[in-house]
Amino acid sequence: MQDTQLLNEGLALMGLGMGFVFVFLTVLVITTTLMSRVIGRFFPEPAPPGSPSVAGRSVPAADEDVMAAISVAVHRHRQRHRH
C-alpha cells in the first residue's frame, strides 16, 4: 500500500466517524427537545400554593425591607470606596 492511499483511507475513516458522531448528537438533541416538550405539555409543573399570579404580582413588605437594606449597604460601600 502506498502512503497516499493509506492517508486517503485514514481521512475517509475519520470523516465517516465524525459524520456518525455528528448525526448521533443531532438526533440526541432533537429527541431530548421533543421529549421535553411532550413532558411539559402533558405533565405541567403545578404552581406552588399561595403564589401570586403573574398579572397580579405584589411585593411583600419583607422584600421591600430587604431591598432597602441592600440599597443602604451599596450606598455606604460606594461612599467609602470612592477614588
Side-chain angles (χ1 to χ4, degrees):
M1 230 186 234
Q2 292 182 353
D3 290 338
T4 56
Q5 186 181 4
L6 188 62
L7 184 62
N8 286 337
E9 288 182 9
L11 290 173
L13 185 61
M14 180 186 70
L16 182 66
M18 289 176 68
F20 179 77
V21 169
F22 178 77
V23 168
F24 175 77
L25 290 176
T26 303
V27 169
L28 183 68
V29 167
I30 291 170
T31 304
T32 305
T33 304
L34 289 175
M35 284 177 27
S36 176
R37 288 184 183 174
V38 167
I39 296 295
R41 177 173 292 165
F42 293 116
F43 303 102
E45 188 172 324
S51 65
S53 65
V54 175
R57 181 176 278 175
S58 63
V59 179
D63 286 346
E64 290 176 357
D65 293 341
V66 171
M67 286 299 294
I70 291 172
S71 297
V72 168
V74 168
H75 182 69
R76 287 184 183 170
H77 175 76
R78 287 181 178 166
Q79 280 183 341
R80 289 182 188 163
H81 297 289
R82 281 196 175 151
H83 295 287

